[in-house]
Amino acid sequence: MLSTMQDVPLTVTRILEHGALVHGESQITTWTGEGEPHRRSFREAGERAHQLAHALRDDLGVSGDERVATLMWNNAEHVEAYYAIPSMGAVLHTLNLRLPAEQLVFIVNHAADRVVIANGSLLPLLAPLLPQLPTLEHVVVSGPGDRSLLDGAGVSVHDYEELLAGKPTVFDWPEIDERQAAAMCYTSGTTGDPKGVVYSHRSIYLHSMQVNMAQSMGLTDLDTTLVVVPQFHVNAWGLPHATFMSGINMLMPDRFLQPAPLAEMIESERPTHAAAVPTIWQGLLAELTAKPRDVSSLTQVTIGGSACPPSLMAAFDDLGMRVCHAWGMTETSPLGTIARPPAHVVGTEEEFAYRLTQGRFPAGVEARLTGPGGERLPWDGESAGELEVRGPWIAGAYYGGSDGEPLRPADKFSEDGWLKTGDVGTISADGFLTLTDRAKDVIKSGGEWISSVDLENALMSHPDVTEAAVVAVPDERWGERPLATVVLREGSTADFASLRAFLADEGKIAKWQLPERWSIVEAVPKTSVGKFDKKVIRKRYAEGDLDVTKL
Ligand code: AMP
């Protein structure tokens, strides 16, 4: 028997229209570096999304499910593109501006982008790539920048504001099947070509509702969220959509992502929430230590993208900024888990340990653990295996190109359709995930696994260590052993023996897991989205590029 309920498609268009109408007074504030920040209401942004759709259709001929790319920072115009493009039936393709040039070229060509909306400040990045982008016909430039860089590049150049000027503020949105593509984002993986994840209207709608649940980020129109996590990386963790659903104000940092301007915008714009990867927060912490500021408005901070070091969580707690740890991937929209401790531990000593886990699975994400031999492992908080997930906002395949079938590589998708995350960890009986490693980063020493993350966290809790990355290196006797690369605070006199003793102290790390190979580095190499790039460290080691001491 079918239900008697209405079958209204869950679309991005509906999120836009709701936000612009019901939460029309909520604000998108974009930081400008100097002078007053730029302010735009949801109502204005909504009208401009209609105008942008007209411009794309009437002037640039965007039709059907064409991909329209953005090469932009987090700002109000990028939010407009987030809504206009999917609502007109086209597909928003956010370009990660930190990808190496050859990967950017690969993804624009793979998605066959014909139009790109770019911030003027990013033209020096885009212009040299144009000769390698045969499908690209139009560049729409938003904000100041040197447009002459595009001269003679064989593309039509348009000004974003001029295109919008005078366009009708009502576009007749088509009714879209909720399973149609709305947006795509290529993985920023460090191996192989990037792979395209294509989000549907439905997946974005459901994911946004999840972001807004009280047990998740749980924000309302009383809040302002500082969206540091880039719009070019997994839809800024769903925040540009979640905000329009609930009227949450957005503070957008544009290109001002360094610790000092971040601290300044927190002090002057007083956001209540912020979201970013740990490296951003490490930088902000150092800035606030050197130059204290009034950051008292910021009471909630969502940290994800890589493991939140316990020392960072504790330091933020001391500043009154409560950290909520979350896990996710490009393939999971990204919210997979979020670490709100269960009621029975709140206020007890156990609470901190729960908050340090990657978090609890929401109703929309099913999870299972698979052992090395393909066996299912129990949720006992001890058995470690590869995490597999499924759900309405989890990818079931990668984009295969406009003529190709969707790609389902066997190392990424199980035969029965679950996503193999490549993350290794345990799940407790009450559904909390603790990651111990990436499958490819785990150190296999004498048949036992050593968690590189545990070693890194222990090292980073040393007062003289600002960053630490641990990788597996080949070892004749044990197969693999850990190599610890550390960044020391300026003026530190700590030596390797004392760091090793610190790890061994109070049984933090078992004796057999203690690294014997050590190296001081100036900075840990990072990927395009600010995660430790361990591939680079392994390569440097293999090429004899690191100054390694063996204890
Ligand atoms: P990306 O697709 O670039 O967002 O990368 C996803 C990967 O980031 C995951 O598969 C994890 O390896 C890692 N990751 C994300 N969040 C966390 C977290 N809270 N703790 C540890 N690793 C994380």
Side-chain angles (χ1 to χ4, degrees), residues 188 233 305-307 325-330 358 423 435 438 531:
S188 53
H233 184 216
S306 24
H325 192 199
W327 164 85
M329 313 169 65
T330 306
Q358 270 64 27
D423 287 322
L435 290 186
R438 286 291 292 162
K531 303 180 188 196

Side-chain angles (χ1 to χ4, degrees), residues 56-57 60-68 88-91 114-115:
L56 293 173
R57 172 76 38 91
L60 309 187
V62 171
S63 65
D65 61 358
E66 241 184 69
R67 272 70 62 202
V68 177
M88 65 190 288
V91 183
R114 199 172 61 83
V115 177

